[in-house]
Amino acid sequence: MTHYMGGASYTVGATQNISVKTSSLLREFGGEVFVDANVHGIIIEDGRAVGVRVSNEKMLAECTSEAEKASIVITEIRAKNVVCATSIYNLYNKLLPQNLPIVKKFRDPNKRTVRQSNGHVFLFCKIKGDATELGLPTHNLWYFNGYDLDGAFDEYFANPTEVRPPTVYIGFPCTKDITWKKRFPGISNCIMISDGLYEWFEKYADKPCRHRSNEYMEFKEKLTRHLLDILYEFVPETKGRVEYHHLGTPLSEITYLTSFRAGSYGVSATCMCSFWKGYWLHYVEWIKFLG
Ligand SMILES: Cc1cc2nc3c(=O)[nH]c(=O)nc-3n(C[C@H](O)[C@H](O)[C@H](O)COP(=O)(O)OP(=O)(O)OC[C@H]3O[C@@H](n4cnc5c(N)ncnc54)[C@H](O)[C@@H]3O)c2cc1C
């Protein structure tokens, strides 16, 4: 949580504005931005990345069989430099040719110390009423299920529908975006984020989004129940006012974030990584203070 010590920024309006503004800037400088473009692979020639193979993401999402997927048109885009800005797991498991020695080395668990982060579940809620009138918190809340966090994680990962999640982030974006009240008068929103394993959902992964079984929906409902109970306990102002809620799962992370096996953060954070990040931020704060 050290990353909030110096305050945090928030987008004005929809978060999408960040990508809209960034792409306009890129186009102003003569660049081009392709959306709905799924990179299938990086083209390697003479040991160098020289381009990418791309197809239309929407068409790909609508395919119901491997045969259909195989019939989608693939375009090659050549470039002087290729930068991959998706996770290292996507890079090594999906985008690079699998016969490269460096890929084989990455996939060998004995030659790798990093491990992949787990996934998350996200509960999006629509709440009836204006945030100020309801007295919703403008700060973020963190719920911890006890002091033995390792134990709480083990219990939850083994039995996610029976025990409460170990940690939950609770935030009310409506209280931070200065345009919210104008855009959605009389309505508030809340997002809750907790951990979730891809392995819990793997058996439902073969069906596309919104076409998954009742069993999947029931599983989601049980996870949702715990999250809503926590919300009502810690922010009682919301009780009886949640008009709509929707739970995103690790499978949603694959659909919308293209995370490899739902590894939300790519590489998993370690204690050392968190320590150095915190140390560096404090150091920056001290420089600001002294300077
Ligand atoms: C649950 C959660 C909570 C977080 N909370 C915070 C927070 O509070 N504060 C904070 O600072 N950070 C937070 N983060 C981290 C932050 O979101 C990431 O660090 C940041 O988004 C990384 O940006 P990026 O551009 O490197 O990668 P990404 O945002 O992952 O962008 C990679 C892009 O590549 C696209 N892509 C992937 N594969 C392909 C392909 N084959 N073809 C085409 N496109 C592809 C993806 O769709 C994606 O748009 C959180 C992340 C998660 C998951």
Side-chain angles (χ1 to χ4, degrees):
M1 266 147 266
T2 45
H3 47 277
Y4 291 126
M5 287 193 73
S9 307
Y10 204 84
T11 24
V12 174
T15 322
Q16 193 184 359
N17 286 340
I18 297 178
S19 34
V20 170
K21 295 270 187 241
T22 317
S23 12
S24 326
L25 197 71
L26 265 164
R27 287 193 176 112
E28 264 176 45
F29 281 90
E32 190 45 270
V33 178
F34 299 98
V35 289
D36 287 335
N38 183 70
V39 175
H40 282 262
I42 297 170
I43 308 165
I44 305 282
E45 283 172 5
D46 299 325
R48 206 173 170 276
V50 293
V52 287
R53 289 191 189 87
V54 180
S55 70
N56 184 281
E57 180 107 33
K58 262 198 197 126
M59 284 166 77
L60 203 66
E62 279 159 19
C63 289
T64 51
S65 68
E66 287 304 316
E68 257 185 69
K69 272 188 194 168
S71 67
I72 297 251
V73 179
I74 293 184
T75 309
E76 277 194 9
I77 302 175
R78 300 245 156 192
K80 201 166 132 199
N81 295 304
V82 178
V83 177
C84 174
T86 169
S87 90
I88 196 165
Y89 290 92
N90 272 335
L91 175 66
Y92 281 95
N93 290 301
K94 281 173 36 188
L95 302 179
L96 285 176
Q98 295 299 293
N99 56 359
L100 287 183
I102 195 164
V103 172
K104 287 189 184 147
K105 191 172 163 197
F106 179 83
R107 299 184 70 158
D108 179 350
N110 299 321
K111 298 212 165 89
R112 191 155 37 93
T113 50
V114 293
R115 64 182 181 84
Q116 197 184 3
S117 111
N118 60 260
H120 287 84
V121 290
F122 311 78
L123 187 68
F124 303 95
C125 301
K126 176 190 170 196
I127 300 165
K128 192 166 88 183
D130 176 89
T132 320
E133 282 164 24
L134 293 177
L136 297 181
T138 54
H139 54 275
N140 296 333
L141 300 171
W142 277 95
Y143 163 83
F144 288 86
N145 187 9
Y147 289 100
D148 174 17
L149 265 192
D150 285 345
F153 267 101
D154 289 347
E155 255 188 81
Y156 173 67
F157 284 158
N159 210 351
T161 54
E162 297 306 314
V163 294
R164 280 186 168 188
T167 65
V168 182
Y169 160 88
I170 310 172
F172 297 89
C174 58
T175 62
K176 295 169 187 140
D177 171 18
I178 51 171
T179 69
W180 177 273
K181 285 189 190 212
K182 225 181 201 174
R183 294 192 295 137
F184 306 105
I187 296 171
S188 302
N189 70 343
C190 170
I191 176 167
M192 303 181 77
I193 307 175
S194 186
D195 294 78
L197 296 183
Y198 173 70
E199 288 75 7
W200 299 341
F201 296 95
E202 195 165 4
K203 61 176 169 175
Y204 311 111
D206 60 332
K207 290 274 181 301
C209 185
R210 296 184 202 287
H211 292 87
R212 299 199 173 106
S213 64
N214 285 343
E215 191 184 291
Y216 173 72
M217 300 310 283
E218 281 161 22
F219 187 15
K220 286 204 333 172
E221 194 46 46
K222 286 182 184 159
L223 297 173
T224 300
R225 222 4 67 219
H226 284 301
L227 292 170
L228 285 178
D229 285 348
I230 292 169
L231 177 67
Y232 299 149
E233 193 176 316
F234 289 89
V235 193
E237 297 84 349
T238 57
K239 198 160 187 180
R241 294 187 163 269
V242 175
E243 285 189 326
Y244 173 82
H245 55 75
H246 192 94
L247 189 86
T249 69
L251 298 187
S252 322
E253 298 190 276
I254 294 175
T255 307
Y256 297 108
L257 305 178
T258 334
S259 310
F260 182 75
R261 285 179 69 88
S264 310
Y265 300 128
V267 172
S268 180
T270 60
C271 286
M272 278 317 277
C273 152
S274 306
F275 170 79
W276 283 113
K277 194 175 161 199
Y279 180 79
W280 167 248
L281 285 173
H282 287 304
Y283 183 64
V284 171
E285 284 307 304
W286 271 103
I287 293 176
K288 273 197 228 156
F289 175 71
L290 295 171

